[in-house]
Amino acid sequence: MIVMKFGGTSVQDAAAISRAAEIVASRLEQRPLVVVSALAKVTDALLAMGRAAGAGDRDHALGLCRQLRERHYTVAGEALGTGVFTQFHSELEAHFDSLDELLRGIAAVGELTDRTADNIASFGERISSRIVAAAFSLRGIEAEHVDSTSVLVTDNRFGRALPDFDETNDRLARLVQPLVEKKKVPVMGGFIGATPQGIITTIGRGGSDFSAAIIGAGLHALLIEIWTDVDGMMTTDPNLCPAARRIKLISFDEAAELAYFGAKVLHPATLLPAVQKNIPVQVLNSRNPSNEGTRITARAQHCRNTFKAIAAKKRITIVDVVATRMLGAHGFLKSIFDVFDKHHCVVDVVSTSEVSVSLTVDSNEAIPAIAADLDKLAYVKYEGRKAIVCLVGENIRGTSGIAAKVFSAISDINVRMISQGASEINITFVIDEDDVPDAVRRLHDTFFSDLDPEVFE
Ligand code: ASP
Ligand code: MG
């Protein structure tokens, strides 16, 4: 069997759902199981109405909910046609009625707990999966909706619940496997699960990829397809560099480095359950299904090129923490990072010298407060409008002279920080934001002009 996951934009309206149905119909021989996200932007809208209700703004919350109801009725009406929509209408209505009721309850209490926020957020996938299953059936696919909250068992860390793999695998084998064997196409919502007591949870934003990986691993899928709205992963951002090409094959570790540095296609950490079982993951474009996309595999294939891709992340601030009293003292770094941690400030690149630590953060809001907290240990300077550039490739490992080649390609650009991670598959440096297009183009010319046809398009 295979798992086919459709993201929010791939089910955002009736036309997208029809395209998804065609794609699934073309793969029936491979026994697909379908995982869907909420329709595009719905999770954001749900969380916004939850917060409005939590702040006591009942009318605003209910107004947002009304808009969401309208949108779903429209999509379902168009995807199902009047006949089927009439039968389906009461089911949809019941969901939105209970969402309304929930929002009224939250507004009355004036508090949105994490547990209730998860319940609210879950409506996106609970509803989208039902609409998609009905639309597939109408188009001749033997689809069967399976409620993910009765299959995916998690702990109760609301908002980022972790799956209980043993229990989930057991339920997959009991409740879902038989459907696949009967040649049905199970359709499940991603992102959502429930505790053993049946309390609804979510597994983190963007979590439908994680759901697909958990389900694929549990059912020993041969392949997991992630359907999005781009032709897979590229050697760099085509907006920055028109010579960018599609990457056909990439390793899990390489993809993970790229995701961290801003490649928005997917978050490979969530694919871990699949990678551990050696299940390849194919990223595909639901608007251009004949394109073969990008295949992510546990181990890197042989590749002639040093790098697989160049990523750039803008809007970075460099923070220099210069030691005063604690210079060289035991525990200095720890006390610095504790302060960043306390302010929930995520640090990307770090480099240290005897007297200072330089690090990058992607938001400078917390810096004044951090500087105040560090006052006794160090003083803090910062500089905005920087960018992180990251070159990724497994071939960096054990090849000499690569850094020299990288930095000579951009020798007249001022490089502020350099770092090579322990994974040894990336070279990362920090430059001025304005230098990014030039730097990326020159590096792309240097390293991607003669491409290995097995690995790149
Ligand atoms: N709908 C959820 C989100 O927006 C999960 C997903 O789409 O993967 O985070
Ligand atoms: Mg996503």
Side-chain angles (χ1 to χ4, degrees), residues 261 311-318 349 360 383-390 414 416-417 428-437 440:
F261 285 101
K313 188 174 177 183
K314 292 191 184 181
R315 275 182 290 280
I316 293 295
T317 297
I318 295 185
V349 182
T360 67
E383 242 181 291
R385 297 185 54 82
K386 299 285 175 247
I388 298 175
V389 177
C390 172
N414 183 29
R416 277 285 271 107
M417 285 170 70
T428 298
F429 56 90
V430 181
I431 57 178
D432 279 344
E433 217 171 69
D434 296 339
D435 289 331
V436 167
V440 169

Side-chain angles (χ1 to χ4, degrees), residues 5 7-8 37-39 41-44 125 190-191 204-209:
K5 179 260 175 175
S37 290
L39 314 195
K41 305 257 171 11
V42 166
T43 309
D44 289 335
E125 272 75 5
F191 180 55
R205 291 307 306 271
S208 295
D209 295 335

Side-chain angles (χ1 to χ4, degrees), residues 120-305:
I120 298 233
S122 74
F123 277 86
E125 272 75 5
R126 279 154 73 192
I127 294 169
S128 68
S129 56
R130 286 177 165 88
I131 295 175
V132 167
F136 282 8
S137 300
L138 189 70
R139 286 161 181 76
I141 297 168
E142 283 194 55
E144 191 151 326
H145 181 260
V146 176
D147 187 345
S148 296
T149 64
S150 38
V151 177
L152 209 134
V153 183
T154 72
D155 65 12
N156 63 357
R157 300 206 315 167
F158 298 105
R160 54 199 161 101
L162 288 172
D164 174 339
F165 284 96
D166 288 342
E167 184 56 33
T168 301
N169 290 344
D170 196 57
R171 294 196 190 184
L172 281 166
R174 238 169 350 99
L175 305 170
V176 183
Q177 180 76 38
L179 296 175
V180 177
E181 272 157 22
K182 278 192 276 177
K183 301 204 171 161
K184 303 264 190 213
V185 176
V187 177
M188 303 176 66
F191 180 55
I192 58 175
T195 67
Q197 294 75 33
I199 299 162
I200 291 177
T201 54
T202 68
I203 58 175
R205 291 307 306 271
S208 295
D209 295 335
F210 192 23
S211 299
I214 296 164
I215 294 167
L219 292 173
H220 311 284
L222 290 177
L223 173 67
I224 296 174
E225 294 182 344
I226 304 283
W227 290 88
T228 74
D229 54 1
V230 292
D231 287 337
M233 303 177 91
M234 306 285 287
T235 52
T236 194
D237 181 349
N239 298 317
L240 279 177
C241 176
R245 304 282 281 278
R246 180 168 56 86
I247 307 168
K248 294 198 283 191
L249 292 169
I250 195 166
S251 75
F252 169 76
D253 289 339
E254 290 168 334
E257 298 281 353
L258 286 173
Y260 183 65
F261 285 101
K264 282 181 275 333
V265 178
L266 81 175
H267 208 295
T270 62
L271 302 180
L272 206 55
V275 172
Q276 282 166 341
K277 294 236 161 113
N278 240 321
I279 303 170
V281 176
Q282 191 91 26
V283 180
L284 294 149
N285 186 354
S286 63
R287 290 177 175 276
N288 185 19
S290 61
N291 186 293
E292 62 179 270
T294 300
R295 179 172 289 233
I296 305 171
T297 54
R299 299 207 315 140
Q301 312 270 323
H302 174 77
C303 177
R304 255 188 3 226
N305 296 79

